[in-house]
Amino acid sequence: MAALVGRIASGARGSTSTPRGNGRDAPLRDASAGTDRLPNSFVRNAMSPPPSRRALLGTGLAGAAVALAGTLPAGTASAQPWRTQWKEDEGQRYSVPGLKKPVRVTVDVWGVPHIFADNVGDLFQAQGFNVARERLFQIDTWRRRGLGRFSEVLGASYVEQDRAARLFLYRGDMAAEWASYGPEAREAATRFVAGINGYIDWLGDHPDALPAEFQKLGYRPARWSPEDVVRIRTHGIGGNLSSQVARARLMSVGGNKASTYFHKLEPDHTVQVPEGLDLSLIPADVLGVYSLATSPMVFADGKLRRMPDGRNVLRESATGSNAWAVAATRTTTGRPILAGDPHREDYTLPANRYIAHLSAPGLNIIGAGEPWNPGISMGHNGMVAFGLTNLPAGQADLYVYELDPDDHSRYRYRDRWEKLTTVTEKIAVAGGEPRQAQLSFTRHGPVVKIDEKNHKAYAVRTVWTEPGTSPYLGSLNFQRVKDSREFVEAISRWKTPGSNLVYADTKGDIGWAPGALIPKRSGRGYDGLLPVPGDGRFEWDGFYDNAQLPTSRNPRSGFFVSANEFNFPPGYPIPTYDWQPAYRKDRIHEVLSQQRGTSIADTLALQNDVKSGVAGQFLPYVKKLRSTDPTTAKALRLLSSYDGVASKDSAAAALFETWMMRFLYPAWAQLLLPKPAADYLVGISIEFDLRVMNDSFARPDDWFGAEGARKRDELLLSTLPKAYTEVASKLGADERAWRWGAMHIHVFLHPLGGPNVGPTERGGSFDTVSVSYFHHLDHPYAEVVGATFKMALDVGAWDNSRVINAPGQSGDQRSKHYKDLQDKWSAGEYFPLLYSEQAIERNGGTRILLQP
């Protein structure tokens, strides 16, 4: 980083050059023909051309001078950020057209930028400039993938990828879209992208500073328009679409009862096949286009590729989070504590959260957000702390249509044939002629598959077609709230992704309120668990209002926990029947209940807790078993003393996790299901629902038939030696040297193949508070989902808060912050999330001045 800093500082100091375009990528304009003919709200109004560059850079932020009412709490950063005189030799300087006044950025020693501006418009522009400085390749790739613009720089092999992405762009009314995110959203996005474009233009004059990925791939970053921020939907957490198809195909080979093996439904519910739906006709690749549109890009064979389908299913099914709030009466500080750690696909480099501090009169917020969005989605604003977990809200459906055998451009709806709406878009191709792409839509959504042989069409209906569903951007509604009541009111407008929002404020209030755009499904047997015919019998009858959902404020227990478990009481709308197991929630609840006074140190320890709830359920069966087989006896002896703590130093954890995921569950499925169904279940299951298997062990006669207990024990004994043998083949014959971390590793993979960060030994499993998913078939034992960002907030004494963001804040491999947090993360350590200006000044690393 030193060489880069030197080049930037020397090149930018005193620079007043006018930014220039890069000459290769103009802002995206809607290339579709006849977009205004598309049905429904998501296609009636095409995106207007972006504003001129002069307008883009010169727009101010309405209402920027409105100050928050009341006195800021102790520890709040100064509302007058320019009290400290800037010194000429103190750091880097950039000329940024469009700023009204200078903006000061102090990047602390851990890589967190603290951005101080005199108005909120300049603040969002500086946020965009800074994120481009640190994460340009990441956000450029996100934009290209979302808009369908890879072919224009990488060639014809990406045309299908681009076509798929364009199917899911928001095409509805833009006025309603902007309004959904709050009164200042449009100006915030406008100034944010002006900052991104300002840095891109600066690179035009300083080509040596261009990130290495662009140099390797041979193209330049594209300039943005404000609409780019909101029209892209495909980075959202879909949740139920992949499971709908997986359940349908499992039932088609194993019968309706096979669905009970797939996932435990909460509350208890029986899956019904919608009348007229033939499960056997659903093609294996029915979601191929959807996967192509939504999967992140990875590196393979020397080129950027989409994520394999199995990994994309994992992205939807295993995504989750922990968040909890502890009341002041139960903490050692006498102040509330709020904790949060989102779980996402964490093998990408950089990870998908970025920590920043945004301070201007009327707004003083710090925490993590999505690099491509203005604002902060997890953190605090000096008055209210907030975290979130995924709420599986069933926000998508696969529709199946009967096509006119004589004309596949028509599908049956009600008692008539209805015409597909088709849009032709031009896709630019590097090194070749533009390609024409046909995008077809039913009244419900984009067509992702046409089965010519069986005269069927398949379309995806999602809430993404509704205004205000760009993921996480709804956080703009609560950036300025002054207490928890205002926070709950603000999240009443939250739509995607479905989220449990946990809060704590400086008045001492804690609680939870869910936010999600949840469809009202009408039609017999229409529950969001299977695809449905698109003939008009199964429709969305509007959406539930967030005010209709349950909430919790200052619970009697003194704390609230959310970990993706079933948490809706009777009498409320059911967002889904597919919830994640309660193992993590139960463990957090257990630990908090036992603590007389919870401290920040206790909170960090709990975030790193690897006590397995699954082990607690299954080990009692093991401890009753005996065997004369030497290998089985050794396995039984090792597991009999296992405490269920899946630490990376545990030999027993290596055996237990291998046994459960690689041998016991597959053998259990083969024992109880027809082989085609068992093979399919094991092949698609990434997060095995071990609740179902545990239920079968608890009631063996109901599941295994006569002498069920004996059959259960034979299953345990027959699979244990296989697991023992596999671990021995990897770690050696001496089990005293076995360590779970030696098998269970994590690598942050750079999308272009390097430099990667890792490997790092990991403890935990999918059921531990410190969550760690590995795929049992695809690269066994490699962690693919976990928490790279974690925070523990001391509400009101903000400088005492702690945070981690692995492997580092920067996506620039030349930066010292590219991987400087990796060792801390691996060791379960954190750094201070500084908020007061005094603490920031004491820990300042790099100082940057942005000048008009």
Side-chain angles (χ1 to χ4, degrees):
M1 179 64 176
L4 175 63
V5 169
R7 286 199 299 273
I8 293 176
S10 62
R13 196 184 307 276
S15 172
T16 58
S17 60
T18 302
R20 65 189 185 199
N22 57 49
R24 187 163 184 179
D25 291 293
L28 176 68
R29 296 175 185 268
D30 195 348
S32 62
T35 307
D36 59 338
R37 295 183 292 106
L38 294 178
N40 297 334
S41 63
F42 76 106
V43 291
R44 287 198 181 105
N45 297 301
M47 180 186 75
S48 301
S52 68
R53 182 159 165 258
R54 182 184 301 274
L56 183 71
L57 294 178
T59 305
L61 190 59
V66 178
L68 290 172
T71 303
L72 294 178
T76 300
S78 169
Q80 301 294 330
W82 283 99
R83 294 181 307 168
T84 304
Q85 181 66 37
W86 182 266
K87 297 179 181 179
E88 183 71 21
D89 61 350
E90 204 169 21
Q92 307 167 22
R93 298 179 65 177
Y94 297 84
S95 178
V96 184
L99 291 178
K100 306 304 180 186
K101 292 186 178 182
V103 177
R104 175 164 60 94
V105 183
T106 298
V107 182
D108 67 29
V109 295
W110 301 283
V112 175
H114 303 266
I115 305 173
F116 301 101
D118 274 353
N119 61 80
V120 179
D122 284 352
L123 185 65
F124 282 124
Q125 186 167 347
Q127 184 187 15
F129 187 93
N130 179 74
V131 79
R133 187 181 65 84
E134 292 280 30
R135 299 283 189 98
L136 186 57
F137 183 69
Q138 181 187 37
I139 64 174
D140 183 82
T141 300
W142 172 85
R143 175 185 172 276
R144 288 191 179 280
R145 189 200 76 175
L147 294 178
R149 297 194 58 170
F150 267 120
S151 298
E152 66 185 12
V153 293
L154 295 178
S157 60
Y158 294 86
V159 169
E160 285 304 310
Q161 165 98 26
D162 288 347
R163 176 188 173 276
R166 295 183 187 204
L167 282 168
F168 291 95
L169 281 172
Y170 176 74
R171 296 170 181 268
D173 179 69
M174 286 305 299
E177 170 70 1
W178 287 118
S180 294
Y181 308 111
E184 64 183 15
R186 186 169 189 171
E187 293 300 328
T190 299
R191 295 298 296 274
F192 181 76
V193 303
I196 295 173
N197 292 338
Y199 186 74
I200 291 171
D201 292 341
W202 182 87
L203 286 174
D205 293 322
H206 304 82
D208 287 348
L210 188 70
E213 293 88 351
F214 295 104
Q215 299 178 34
K216 184 173 183 177
L217 293 172
Y219 65 88
R220 297 189 61 82
R223 301 181 82 252
W224 292 45
S225 71
E227 289 79 7
D228 296 345
V229 175
V230 296
R231 295 187 69 224
I232 297 171
R233 302 293 205 247
T234 50
H235 58 298
I237 302 172
N240 64 312
L241 199 61
S242 295
S243 65
Q244 279 186 5
V245 173
R247 181 178 284 107
R249 300 196 67 236
L250 175 64
M251 293 170 66
S252 74
V253 296
N256 290 1
K257 186 179 178 181
S259 67
T260 61
Y261 293 79
F262 178 59
H263 208 263
K264 180 178 175 61
L265 301 180
E266 299 177 287
D268 287 340
H269 182 74
T270 300
V271 179
Q272 298 181 43
V273 179
E275 183 181 354
L277 179 67
D278 188 342
L279 299 178
S280 68
L281 294 181
I282 296 177
D285 64 345
V286 69
L287 291 184
V289 169
Y290 172 79
S291 177
L292 197 61
T294 58
S295 63
M297 303 297 287
V298 295
F299 183 79
D301 303 324
K303 296 181 179 179
L304 278 170
R305 302 289 189 192
R306 70 182 179 92
M307 181 191 291
D309 286 347
R311 285 284 183 89
N312 201 44
V313 174
L314 172 66
R315 187 179 69 92
E316 288 201 346
S317 66
T319 297
S321 304
N322 302 317
W324 64 90
V326 184
T329 55
R330 294 188 63 94
T331 68
T332 58
T333 65
R335 297 179 297 272
I337 291 175
L338 184 135
D341 54 290
H343 310 151
R344 299 293 297 273
E345 62 276 13
D346 69 344
Y347 56 88
T348 56
L349 199 162
N352 57 11
R353 306 290 187 200
Y354 183 71
I355 305 172
H357 180 188
L358 311 177
S359 181
L363 181 63
N364 192 17
I365 191 166
I366 188 170
E370 297 64 46
W372 38 80
N373 279 353
I376 300 296
S377 59
M378 292 173 287
H380 72 83
N381 68 357
M383 300 179 188
V384 183
F386 40 87
L388 55 83
T389 71
N390 182 41
L391 170 69
Q395 295 179 314
D397 282 314
L398 183 69
Y399 276 78
V400 184
Y401 304 88
E402 177 189 352
L403 294 178
D404 182 348
D406 299 321
D407 182 1
H408 280 183
S409 69
R410 303 200 305 170
Y411 63 97
R412 182 175 296 281
Y413 186 78
R414 305 292 186 186
D415 57 354
R416 66 185 187 275
W417 294 111
E418 193 163 294
K419 194 79 171 176
L420 292 173
T421 302
T422 300
V423 172
T424 300
E425 292 201 359
K426 184 181 293 185
I427 298 179
V429 177
E433 293 297 319
R435 302 289 182 87
Q436 299 293 322
Q438 303 293 321
L439 310 180
S440 294
F441 301 85
T442 70
R443 62 170 43 237
H444 299 119
V447 175
V448 294
K449 176 75 176 180
I450 291 183
D451 181 351
E452 301 281 356
K453 178 182 177 181
N454 293 301
H455 312 297
K456 300 288 184 183
Y458 298 84
V460 171
R461 185 173 194 178
T462 72
V463 299
W464 298 344
T465 62
E466 298 296 321
T469 55
S470 184
Y472 299 103
L473 198 58
S475 61
L476 289 175
N477 283 307
F478 58 73
Q479 305 290 282
R480 300 172 182 268
V481 296
K482 297 184 287 294
D483 57 32
S484 61
R485 293 188 184 277
E486 288 190 6
F487 178 77
V488 172
E489 169 60 26
I491 63 175
S492 67
R493 297 182 291 278
W494 182 280
K495 296 181 179 179
T496 65
S499 297
N500 296 286
L501 293 120
V502 181
Y503 61 83
D505 69 14
T506 54
K507 295 179 179 179
D509 293 323
I510 68 168
W512 156 75
L517 192 63
I518 304 173
K520 295 180 179 178
R521 293 179 169 90
S522 62
R524 184 178 179 183
Y526 187 16
D527 51 18
L529 296 175
L530 287 171
V532 290
D535 56 14
R537 291 175 295 137
F538 303 92
E539 294 292 342
W540 291 3
D541 185 19
F543 303 92
Y544 291 103
D545 190 289
N546 282 344
Q548 298 174 262
L549 306 183
T551 61
S552 176
R553 182 180 180 83
N554 296 327
R556 296 177 67 179
S557 64
F559 57 84
F560 185 87
V561 181
S562 174
N564 318 116
E565 81 287 355
F566 175 42
N567 62 353
F568 272 43
Y572 288 94
I574 299 297
T576 183
Y577 294 93
D578 271 327
W579 304 81
Q580 289 197 21
Y583 299 121
R584 289 181 281 113
K585 183 263 183 182
D586 290 345
R587 175 59 177 165
I588 297 169
H589 192 281
E590 175 189 21
V591 172
L592 292 178
S593 297
Q594 294 172 354
Q595 290 174 350
R596 300 178 65 88
T598 298
S599 66
I600 288 291
D602 294 330
T603 305
L604 306 184
L606 184 51
Q607 284 185 327
N608 288 291
D609 187 276
V610 289
K611 181 68 177 289
S612 168
V614 168
Q617 289 181 337
F618 285 91
L619 286 174
Y621 298 109
V622 175
K623 293 178 180 180
K624 297 177 182 179
L625 299 176
R626 299 292 183 271
S627 176
T628 57
D629 174 72
T631 302
T632 307
K634 286 189 287 187
L636 289 171
R637 183 170 59 251
L638 182 57
L639 289 184
S640 292
S641 61
Y642 182 35
D643 60 4
V645 178
S647 71
K648 58 187 176 183
D649 293 322
S650 171
L655 175 59
F656 182 81
E657 297 296 334
T658 299
W659 177 47
M660 296 297 294
M661 304 300 285
R662 299 270 288 162
F663 294 97
L664 181 57
Y665 185 91
W668 170 81
Q670 295 287 350
L671 180 64
L672 294 178
L673 282 169
K675 189 176 189 312
D679 289 344
Y680 184 74
L681 178 65
V682 173
I684 61 172
S685 294
I686 298 168
E687 173 203 354
F688 288 146
D689 196 339
L690 299 182
R691 295 173 297 181
V692 180
M693 187 166 70
N694 181 61
D695 184 61
S696 75
F697 282 15
R699 299 186 294 113
D701 290 344
D702 293 342
W703 286 77
F704 299 100
E707 298 186 81
R710 178 184 61 79
K711 294 175 182 177
R712 175 198 64 202
D713 293 347
E714 287 177 352
L715 175 65
L716 297 170
L717 290 169
S718 66
T719 52
L720 264 174
K722 297 176 182 178
Y724 190 96
T725 300
E726 172 155 327
V727 177
S729 71
K730 294 181 178 297
L731 300 181
D734 184 1
E735 67 182 41
R736 294 172 298 179
W738 290 2
R739 300 174 59 258
W740 175 221
M743 296 175 64
H744 187 39
I745 57 93
H746 178 275
V747 179
F748 286 101
L749 297 174
H750 188 280
L752 295 187
N756 298 327
V757 177
T760 299
E761 293 187 352
R762 300 292 290 159
S765 186
F766 79 91
D767 65 307
T768 57
V769 177
S770 180
V771 75
S772 182
Y773 284 84
F774 66 92
H775 196 303
H776 64 291
L777 297 176
D778 179 20
H779 306 296
Y781 311 111
E783 181 184 77
V784 291
V785 169
T788 54
F789 168 77
K790 301 179 183 182
M791 66 180 185
L793 305 180
D794 189 343
V795 177
W798 301 111
D799 287 343
N800 295 332
S801 302
R802 294 295 182 266
V803 70
I804 191 67
N805 193 31
Q809 280 277 95
S810 180
D812 191 325
Q813 58 196 257
R814 299 164 296 188
S815 170
K816 64 183 177 183
H817 298 302
Y818 183 70
K819 59 177 181 179
D820 59 323
L821 301 176
Q822 168 71 2
D823 290 343
K824 282 184 175 294
W825 175 74
S826 177
E829 297 174 355
Y830 299 69
F831 64 87
L833 184 64
L834 301 180
Y835 190 57
S836 71
E837 188 170 2
Q838 297 77 15
I840 294 164
E841 288 299 316
R842 289 194 300 269
N843 293 276
T846 302
R847 302 177 191 276
I848 300 170
L849 180 64
L850 308 181
Q851 296 178 299

